mmCIF file of all heavy atoms in Angstrom:
data_model
loop_
_atom_site.group_PDB
_atom_site.id
_atom_site.type_symbol
_atom_site.label_atom_id
_atom_site.label_comp_id
_atom_site.label_asym_id
_atom_site.label_seq_id
_atom_site.Cartn_x
_atom_site.Cartn_y
_atom_site.Cartn_z
ATOM 1 N N CYS D 334 79.779 104.896 26.545
ATOM 2 C CA CYS D 334 80.344 106.213 26.205
ATOM 3 C C CYS D 334 79.386 107.324 26.622
ATOM 4 O O CYS D 334 78.181 107.125 26.659
ATOM 5 C CB CYS D 334 80.623 106.310 24.708
ATOM 6 S SG CYS D 334 81.933 105.206 24.156
ATOM 7 N N GLN D 335 79.959 108.478 26.901
ATOM 8 C CA GLN D 335 79.180 109.663 27.235
ATOM 9 C C GLN D 335 79.479 110.766 26.238
ATOM 10 O O GLN D 335 80.629 110.961 25.854
ATOM 11 C CB GLN D 335 79.558 110.188 28.618
ATOM 12 C CG GLN D 335 79.128 109.347 29.761
ATOM 13 C CD GLN D 335 79.429 110.054 31.070
ATOM 14 O OE1 GLN D 335 79.283 111.266 31.176
ATOM 15 N NE2 GLN D 335 79.836 109.297 32.055
ATOM 16 N N PHE D 336 78.418 111.464 25.849
ATOM 17 C CA PHE D 336 78.544 112.698 25.089
ATOM 18 C C PHE D 336 78.124 113.778 26.079
ATOM 19 O O PHE D 336 76.937 113.998 26.302
ATOM 20 C CB PHE D 336 77.656 112.668 23.850
ATOM 21 C CG PHE D 336 78.066 111.615 22.854
ATOM 22 C CD1 PHE D 336 77.677 110.293 22.998
ATOM 23 C CD2 PHE D 336 78.858 111.963 21.773
ATOM 24 C CE1 PHE D 336 78.060 109.334 22.089
ATOM 25 C CE2 PHE D 336 79.244 111.010 20.851
ATOM 26 C CZ PHE D 336 78.854 109.685 21.011
ATOM 27 N N ALA D 337 79.111 114.400 26.725
ATOM 28 C CA ALA D 337 78.842 115.296 27.845
ATOM 29 C C ALA D 337 79.134 116.741 27.475
ATOM 30 O O ALA D 337 80.215 117.056 26.979
ATOM 31 C CB ALA D 337 79.692 114.889 29.050
ATOM 32 N N VAL D 338 78.153 117.614 27.727
ATOM 33 C CA VAL D 338 78.287 119.044 27.448
ATOM 34 C C VAL D 338 78.871 119.201 26.038
ATOM 35 O O VAL D 338 79.865 119.878 25.826
ATOM 36 C CB VAL D 338 79.160 119.746 28.510
ATOM 37 C CG1 VAL D 338 79.014 121.248 28.400
ATOM 38 C CG2 VAL D 338 78.820 119.277 29.907
ATOM 39 N N CYS D 339 78.243 118.531 25.110
ATOM 40 C CA CYS D 339 78.802 118.377 23.764
ATOM 41 C C CYS D 339 77.821 118.884 22.712
ATOM 42 O O CYS D 339 76.612 118.670 22.817
ATOM 43 C CB CYS D 339 79.087 116.890 23.542
ATOM 44 S SG CYS D 339 79.877 116.476 22.005
ATOM 45 N N ARG D 340 78.347 119.524 21.703
ATOM 46 C CA ARG D 340 77.558 119.926 20.537
ATOM 47 C C ARG D 340 77.656 118.781 19.526
ATOM 48 O O ARG D 340 78.754 118.370 19.144
ATOM 49 C CB ARG D 340 78.135 121.211 19.963
ATOM 50 C CG ARG D 340 77.493 121.659 18.666
ATOM 51 C CD ARG D 340 78.235 122.906 18.160
ATOM 52 N NE ARG D 340 78.165 123.012 16.732
ATOM 53 C CZ ARG D 340 77.396 123.891 16.097
ATOM 54 N NH1 ARG D 340 76.646 124.709 16.795
ATOM 55 N NH2 ARG D 340 77.385 123.944 14.791
ATOM 56 N N VAL D 341 76.509 118.264 19.121
ATOM 57 C CA VAL D 341 76.430 117.174 18.148
ATOM 58 C C VAL D 341 75.646 117.734 16.966
ATOM 59 O O VAL D 341 74.423 117.665 16.926
ATOM 60 C CB VAL D 341 75.750 115.933 18.763
ATOM 61 C CG1 VAL D 341 75.695 114.791 17.759
ATOM 62 C CG2 VAL D 341 76.462 115.495 20.039
ATOM 63 N N GLN D 342 76.341 118.324 16.012
ATOM 64 C CA GLN D 342 75.696 119.055 14.926
ATOM 65 C C GLN D 342 75.929 118.358 13.588
ATOM 66 O O GLN D 342 77.070 118.155 13.181
ATOM 67 C CB GLN D 342 76.237 120.491 14.858
ATOM 68 C CG GLN D 342 75.588 121.359 13.811
ATOM 69 C CD GLN D 342 74.113 121.613 14.073
ATOM 70 O OE1 GLN D 342 73.658 121.710 15.204
ATOM 71 N NE2 GLN D 342 73.326 121.709 13.016
ATOM 72 N N ASP D 343 74.815 117.999 12.922
ATOM 73 C CA ASP D 343 74.860 117.397 11.589
ATOM 74 C C ASP D 343 75.725 116.133 11.570
ATOM 75 O O ASP D 343 76.497 115.893 10.655
ATOM 76 C CB ASP D 343 75.364 118.421 10.556
ATOM 77 C CG ASP D 343 74.969 118.038 9.139
ATOM 78 O OD1 ASP D 343 73.974 117.307 8.969
ATOM 79 O OD2 ASP D 343 75.673 118.465 8.201
ATOM 80 N N VAL D 344 75.592 115.328 12.624
ATOM 81 C CA VAL D 344 76.368 114.090 12.766
ATOM 82 C C VAL D 344 75.522 112.925 12.272
ATOM 83 O O VAL D 344 74.303 112.911 12.413
ATOM 84 C CB VAL D 344 76.791 113.894 14.240
ATOM 85 C CG1 VAL D 344 77.494 112.558 14.442
ATOM 86 C CG2 VAL D 344 77.695 115.035 14.679
ATOM 87 N N ARG D 345 76.160 111.933 11.688
ATOM 88 C CA ARG D 345 75.497 110.732 11.180
ATOM 89 C C ARG D 345 75.894 109.542 12.046
ATOM 90 O O ARG D 345 77.066 109.192 12.125
ATOM 91 C CB ARG D 345 75.880 110.451 9.723
ATOM 92 C CG ARG D 345 75.546 111.580 8.767
ATOM 93 C CD ARG D 345 74.035 111.728 8.584
ATOM 94 N NE ARG D 345 73.696 112.936 7.867
ATOM 95 C CZ ARG D 345 73.214 114.036 8.441
ATOM 96 N NH1 ARG D 345 73.026 114.089 9.720
ATOM 97 N NH2 ARG D 345 72.919 115.095 7.736
ATOM 98 N N PHE D 346 74.871 108.948 12.707
ATOM 99 C CA PHE D 346 75.058 107.721 13.485
ATOM 100 C C PHE D 346 74.321 106.581 12.775
ATOM 101 O O PHE D 346 73.818 105.671 13.407
ATOM 102 C CB PHE D 346 74.490 107.883 14.894
ATOM 103 C CG PHE D 346 75.283 108.774 15.802
ATOM 104 C CD1 PHE D 346 74.893 110.086 16.010
ATOM 105 C CD2 PHE D 346 76.398 108.302 16.473
ATOM 106 C CE1 PHE D 346 75.597 110.914 16.882
ATOM 107 C CE2 PHE D 346 77.113 109.117 17.338
ATOM 108 C CZ PHE D 346 76.713 110.428 17.535
ATOM 109 N N ASP D 347 74.235 106.623 11.465
ATOM 110 C CA ASP D 347 73.457 105.646 10.705
ATOM 111 C C ASP D 347 74.090 104.265 10.824
ATOM 112 O O ASP D 347 75.293 104.087 10.609
ATOM 113 C CB ASP D 347 73.347 106.065 9.245
ATOM 114 C CG ASP D 347 72.712 107.446 9.079
ATOM 115 O OD1 ASP D 347 72.104 107.944 10.046
ATOM 116 O OD2 ASP D 347 72.836 108.025 7.990
ATOM 117 N N GLY D 348 73.277 103.286 11.219
ATOM 118 C CA GLY D 348 73.765 101.927 11.389
ATOM 119 C C GLY D 348 74.667 101.751 12.601
ATOM 120 O O GLY D 348 75.241 100.683 12.799
ATOM 121 N N ALA D 349 74.773 102.765 13.434
ATOM 122 C CA ALA D 349 75.652 102.697 14.613
ATOM 123 C C ALA D 349 74.958 101.937 15.744
ATOM 124 O O ALA D 349 73.736 101.763 15.755
ATOM 125 C CB ALA D 349 76.017 104.101 15.083
ATOM 126 N N SER D 350 75.766 101.499 16.701
ATOM 127 C CA SER D 350 75.263 100.846 17.907
ATOM 128 C C SER D 350 75.768 101.635 19.103
ATOM 129 O O SER D 350 76.972 101.859 19.231
ATOM 130 C CB SER D 350 75.769 99.402 17.985
ATOM 131 O OG SER D 350 75.307 98.658 16.875
ATOM 132 N N ILE D 351 74.835 102.055 19.948
ATOM 133 C CA ILE D 351 75.182 102.829 21.139
ATOM 134 C C ILE D 351 74.604 102.084 22.331
ATOM 135 O O ILE D 351 73.392 102.016 22.492
ATOM 136 C CB ILE D 351 74.646 104.269 21.048
ATOM 137 C CG1 ILE D 351 75.152 104.946 19.773
ATOM 138 C CG2 ILE D 351 75.052 105.059 22.286
ATOM 139 C CD1 ILE D 351 74.548 106.315 19.503
ATOM 140 N N TYR D 352 75.496 101.482 23.127
ATOM 141 C CA TYR D 352 75.085 100.663 24.256
ATOM 142 C C TYR D 352 75.492 101.317 25.567
ATOM 143 O O TYR D 352 76.636 101.742 25.718
ATOM 144 C CB TYR D 352 75.730 99.275 24.183
ATOM 145 C CG TYR D 352 75.427 98.528 22.916
ATOM 146 C CD1 TYR D 352 76.428 98.259 21.996
ATOM 147 C CD2 TYR D 352 74.140 98.082 22.634
ATOM 148 C CE1 TYR D 352 76.155 97.559 20.832
ATOM 149 C CE2 TYR D 352 73.857 97.393 21.466
ATOM 150 C CZ TYR D 352 74.875 97.128 20.574
ATOM 151 O OH TYR D 352 74.594 96.452 19.419
ATOM 152 N N SER D 353 74.560 101.375 26.499
ATOM 153 C CA SER D 353 74.817 101.914 27.838
ATOM 154 C C SER D 353 75.491 103.277 27.759
ATOM 155 O O SER D 353 76.454 103.554 28.474
ATOM 156 C CB SER D 353 75.667 100.936 28.655
ATOM 157 O OG SER D 353 75.003 99.702 28.773
ATOM 158 N N GLY D 354 74.981 104.115 26.866
ATOM 159 C CA GLY D 354 75.552 105.438 26.644
ATOM 160 C C GLY D 354 74.728 106.527 27.285
ATOM 161 O O GLY D 354 73.651 106.286 27.845
ATOM 162 N N GLU D 355 75.266 107.727 27.181
ATOM 163 C CA GLU D 355 74.577 108.874 27.762
ATOM 164 C C GLU D 355 74.884 110.130 26.962
ATOM 165 O O GLU D 355 76.030 110.376 26.612
ATOM 166 C CB GLU D 355 75.048 109.049 29.207
ATOM 167 C CG GLU D 355 74.337 110.138 29.954
ATOM 168 C CD GLU D 355 74.785 110.191 31.399
ATOM 169 O OE1 GLU D 355 74.553 109.207 32.122
ATOM 170 O OE2 GLU D 355 75.373 111.213 31.787
ATOM 171 N N PHE D 356 73.838 110.880 26.671
ATOM 172 C CA PHE D 356 73.959 112.218 26.109
ATOM 173 C C PHE D 356 73.517 113.154 27.217
ATOM 174 O O PHE D 356 72.335 113.188 27.565
ATOM 175 C CB PHE D 356 73.069 112.377 24.874
ATOM 176 C CG PHE D 356 73.531 111.605 23.678
ATOM 177 C CD1 PHE D 356 73.242 110.251 23.540
ATOM 178 C CD2 PHE D 356 74.266 112.226 22.674
ATOM 179 C CE1 PHE D 356 73.668 109.535 22.430
ATOM 180 C CE2 PHE D 356 74.687 111.517 21.555
ATOM 181 C CZ PHE D 356 74.396 110.167 21.444
ATOM 182 N N HIS D 357 74.459 113.866 27.801
ATOM 183 C CA HIS D 357 74.162 114.725 28.950
ATOM 184 C C HIS D 357 74.509 116.170 28.625
ATOM 185 O O HIS D 357 75.638 116.470 28.232
ATOM 186 C CB HIS D 357 74.951 114.260 30.172
ATOM 187 C CG HIS D 357 74.602 115.019 31.409
ATOM 188 N ND1 HIS D 357 75.168 116.223 31.741
ATOM 189 C CD2 HIS D 357 73.696 114.753 32.383
ATOM 190 C CE1 HIS D 357 74.659 116.649 32.876
ATOM 191 N NE2 HIS D 357 73.756 115.783 33.279
ATOM 192 N N THR D 358 73.527 117.054 28.755
ATOM 193 C CA THR D 358 73.696 118.475 28.467
ATOM 194 C C THR D 358 74.284 118.651 27.064
ATOM 195 O O THR D 358 75.220 119.417 26.861
ATOM 196 C CB THR D 358 74.567 119.165 29.542
ATOM 197 O OG1 THR D 358 74.169 118.686 30.828
ATOM 198 C CG2 THR D 358 74.374 120.670 29.517
ATOM 199 N N ALA D 359 73.732 117.906 26.124
ATOM 200 C CA ALA D 359 74.195 117.947 24.734
ATOM 201 C C ALA D 359 73.226 118.766 23.886
ATOM 202 O O ALA D 359 72.020 118.784 24.137
ATOM 203 C CB ALA D 359 74.313 116.532 24.171
ATOM 204 N N GLN D 360 73.765 119.437 22.882
ATOM 205 C CA GLN D 360 72.979 120.151 21.881
ATOM 206 C C GLN D 360 73.044 119.314 20.608
ATOM 207 O O GLN D 360 74.061 119.320 19.912
ATOM 208 C CB GLN D 360 73.552 121.552 21.637
ATOM 209 C CG GLN D 360 73.567 122.427 22.865
ATOM 210 C CD GLN D 360 72.168 122.746 23.355
ATOM 211 O OE1 GLN D 360 71.255 123.001 22.584
ATOM 212 N NE2 GLN D 360 71.990 122.709 24.670
ATOM 213 N N ILE D 361 71.982 118.574 20.325
ATOM 214 C CA ILE D 361 71.967 117.647 19.195
ATOM 215 C C ILE D 361 71.079 118.241 18.110
ATOM 216 O O ILE D 361 69.878 118.427 18.321
ATOM 217 C CB ILE D 361 71.450 116.267 19.634
ATOM 218 C CG1 ILE D 361 72.239 115.764 20.847
ATOM 219 C CG2 ILE D 361 71.527 115.279 18.481
ATOM 220 C CD1 ILE D 361 71.615 114.574 21.542
#
Side-chain angles (χ1 to χ4, degrees):
C334 293
Q335 290 186 38
F336 295 82
V338 194
C339 184
R340 174 184 152 106
V341 181
Q342 183 65 34
D343 200 24
V344 175
R345 301 291 170 257
F346 288 100
D347 302 345
S350 299
I351 304 173
Y352 303 113
S353 301
E355 184 176 297
F356 290 82
H357 185 275
T358 318
Q360 300 295 320
I361 307 167

